[in-house]
Amino acid sequence: MADQKKRALTGLRATGNLHLGNYLGALRPGLELSQSYDCIFFIADLHALTSNRDAAAIFGQTLDQVATWLAMGLDVKKHVLFRQSDVTQVTELMWYLSCVTNLGLLEKAHAYKDAAAQGQDVNHGVFAYPVLMAADILLYEPDLVPVGKDQKQHVEMARDIAGSLNALYGDTLKLPQPMIREEVMLIPGLDGRKMSKSYNNEIPLFCDEKSLRKKLMSLKTDSTPLEEPKELDGSLVGDLYRLFGPADGYTDLKGRLAKGGMGWGHAKEELFEAVNNHVREMRERYVELRKDEAGLKATLAEGAEKARALSNPTLTRVRHAMGIR
Ligand code: ADP
Ligand code: TRP
């Protein structure tokens, strides 16, 4: 990271199999950013613990994510890819930040408020989540933090918390800018709602071809008889085809469906071809990479070393500022 590029940082929780929504909404935009920024990407396994109770699965899901980034072509020599829990500096910083964070600020957090409003059993991790996220960000002094709309409030809180610490102890922490993807790319799932693990409607990014086909064939469509004209606009098949099909493919498929005599089953078949073509090479690389656990662990170890080196100056500055010498 010797040149003058700006630094961008973002994290993705380790919470299960990655799906097409994660890919289009978070991973691919991250990869695109790595063309023009020095990027720090991490697998937020500590954040996953607020809800992921599957102790046996978290590390495997972490490795899945590493293999996915590599299969997509992230250059881990130029950028930093690491696991959150490998840099324990973050939990120390979280404490310092906790001591300058007003309870009132945390009570305003959407994630906590929603969970509490639904009468869920809210743990302290859910309540303190924004402080850990602030520590994630502030420790590495990024210029930009690219996130989806749902995370905007958390990045703003990180700025507020850094501002409180700076007001009390002098200019110690760098305030990051959120980079919000406003054009909410909301990828629909099998039932038409937002694709999400919580809705059980996801299409995995890297399942085998047969399962992918089966998933896509189960997409919700109306029951217009085969011979009748069909409208691709506004249909689930259409929404997904637009994202994965060839550039001129949408108009072509729309025209053929509108003529009648073509069933949704055929359209889904074409959708499967499009999605499968899109992910095939990446999936092949993924499958190979995922087998090499030692290699993935080595990637994480290298990332952790680079991340620790970046984190130490910030932590030392905060300790000194607050009188922990
Ligand atoms: P899930 O809803 O399946 O639990 P996460 O909340 O862990 O997914 O999502 C991680 C990131 O992936 C989010 O920050 C968001 O940017 C992106 N993402 C998830 N689902 C979608 C979707 N359906 N469309 C677009 N982006 C998505
Ligand atoms: N909270 C984010 C999410 O749920 C993940 C995350 C954790 C993150 N720490 C971060 C994102 C720091 C950006 C910066 O998607």
Side-chain angles (χ1 to χ4, degrees):
M1 288 205 178
D3 54 15
Q4 292 300 305
K5 277 188 194 163
K6 287 197 167 183
R7 186 182 289 176
L9 168 143
T10 196
L12 212 66
R13 291 184 307 148
T15 49
N17 295 334
L18 294 167
H19 53 67
L20 292 179
N22 299 140
Y23 168 67
L24 291 180
L27 294 160
R28 199 174 66 175
L31 190 76
E32 281 163 8
L33 213 66
S34 73
Q35 305 300 320
S36 35
Y37 290 86
D38 280 330
C39 288
I40 303 180
F41 296 129
F42 64 93
I43 299 131
D45 58 345
L46 294 176
H47 273 110
L49 292 180
T50 59
S51 58
N52 191 342
R53 301 290 181 214
D54 194 348
I58 288 186
F59 188 58
Q61 289 163 355
T62 300
L63 295 184
D64 293 346
Q65 219 189 101
V66 179
T68 303
W69 279 115
L70 294 175
M72 286 171 58
L74 177 72
D75 184 344
V76 291
K77 297 288 171 210
K78 283 196 191 143
H79 303 278
V80 183
L81 175 65
F82 75 102
R83 173 173 70 147
Q84 185 184 26
S85 61
D86 276 331
V87 184
T88 53
Q89 282 81 343
V90 79
T91 47
E92 184 180 339
L93 179 61
M94 184 192 176
W95 179 252
Y96 302 138
L97 298 180
S98 289
C99 295
V100 300
T101 302
N102 204 288
L103 269 197
L105 181 77
L106 296 180
E107 279 164 353
K108 283 188 212 136
H110 300 313
Y112 161 71
K113 277 204 318 202
D114 292 352
Q118 286 168 22
Q120 283 177 24
D121 204 3
V122 181
N123 60 53
H124 180 248
V126 172
F127 188 65
Y129 190 102
V131 190
L132 179 58
M133 185 155 157
D136 285 329
I137 296 171
L138 300 170
L139 194 56
Y140 302 100
E141 310 194 289
D143 299 288
L144 286 178
V145 182
V147 284
K149 259 188 184 164
D150 60 321
Q151 297 296 318
K152 182 176 178 204
Q153 188 194 31
H154 289 152
V155 183
E156 283 164 355
M157 285 181 159
R159 287 175 57 89
D160 288 345
I161 294 170
S164 303
L165 192 137
N166 288 349
L168 284 163
Y169 294 103
D171 200 11
T172 312
L173 290 168
K174 171 170 166 166
L175 270 57
Q177 291 295 335
M179 180 184 195
I180 311 298
R181 292 187 294 275
E182 289 293 349
E183 27 36 280
V184 231
M185 202 184 207
L186 211 59
I187 314 303
L190 292 170
D191 57 0
R193 290 187 292 173
K194 174 192 177 229
M195 188 180 294
S196 169
K197 287 179 286 278
S198 344
Y199 298 148
N200 225 333
N201 64 354
E202 73 267 33
I203 305 167
L205 173 57
F206 294 137
C207 59
D208 61 80
E209 245 172 60
K210 217 168 129 193
S211 314
L212 179 62
R213 186 166 182 282
K214 201 166 152 205
K215 282 271 179 201
L216 290 170
M217 294 314 275
S218 77
L219 271 185
K220 213 167 112 186
T221 44
D222 61 35
S223 48
T224 320
L226 181 109
E227 57 284 357
E228 298 213 356
K230 291 168 193 66
E231 178 56 280
L232 189 60
D233 290 355
S235 71
L236 252 182
V237 177
D239 289 347
L240 286 169
Y241 195 82
R242 221 192 271 279
L243 295 163
F244 290 97
D248 52 354
Y250 187 88
T251 322
D252 178 59
L253 180 61
K254 181 175 158 68
R256 283 182 289 130
L257 276 166
K259 275 192 207 139
M262 181 180 187
W264 282 119
H266 294 109
K268 287 188 204 174
E269 194 65 56
E270 293 190 26
L271 173 65
F272 161 70
E273 288 299 330
V275 176
N276 196 42
N277 285 338
H278 188 101
V279 300
R280 185 189 290 113
E281 282 181 24
M282 237 179 351
R283 181 178 58 216
E284 284 167 7
R285 284 196 294 274
Y286 172 82
V287 169
E288 283 312 304
L289 286 157
R290 188 62 185 81
K291 284 186 208 154
D292 178 17
E293 290 220 351
L296 297 174
K297 286 180 187 164
T299 300
L300 280 180
E302 261 177 58
E305 201 174 315
K306 289 200 263 180
R308 270 184 222 118
L310 291 172
S311 76
N312 283 327
T314 315
L315 192 59
T316 304
R317 228 173 35 244
V318 176
R319 279 186 191 145
H320 276 241
M322 295 180 84
I324 304 297
R325 300 192 183 180

